[in-house]
Amino acid sequence: MEPFRTRRYECGEDLYAAIGIGRDDRPARLRQLARNVEFFGAPVGLFFCLDRNLGPPQWADVGMYMQSVMLWPSNTGWIPAPRSSGPDTPNRR
């Protein structure tokens, strides 16, 4: 879906170029992708999940809760680095 698809691909290419991974270097790209699930070496990783049957009001509730959770460590000197992951297709079951 344009213009988002093109922007997402350009952003990804810029990211990998910035860390020295070429577009054709599939093994290096997959290693970098695997670091997402390793939380890039962070000491803590949190997961927030929603049932597929819940809608925008509940997304807002969870979003506000996540914001509160992320604000707390910033008072201790830790800097939260949120990541997201989800299905590529809406309403996929």
Side-chain angles (χ1 to χ4, degrees):
M1 178 187 315
E2 291 300 336
F4 304 108
R5 183 177 186 271
T6 298
R7 182 176 177 189
R8 187 180 71 184
Y9 278 84
E10 289 172 354
C11 181
E13 288 183 11
D14 290 346
L15 168 71
Y16 284 104
I19 57 177
I21 297 175
R23 178 139 178 85
D24 296 330
D25 191 349
R26 184 169 171 79
R29 292 172 75 89
L30 291 175
R31 280 192 304 274
Q32 182 64 23
L33 180 63
R35 294 191 67 213
N36 280 321
V37 296
E38 297 170 352
F39 302 106
F40 297 91
V44 175
L46 302 174
F47 289 88
F48 296 89
C49 303
L50 285 171
D51 186 282
R52 292 177 189 260
N53 296 317
L54 299 177
Q58 291 78 33
W59 302 341
D61 292 341
V62 171
M64 286 183 277
Y65 178 73
M66 291 170 61
Q67 178 183 8
S68 296
V69 169
M70 288 188 292
L71 286 173
W72 173 75
S74 63
N75 293 329
T76 65
W78 287 18
I79 301 171
R83 302 285 181 261
S84 66
S85 180
D88 293 332
T89 306
N91 302 321
R92 193 165 121 193
R93 295 188 185 244

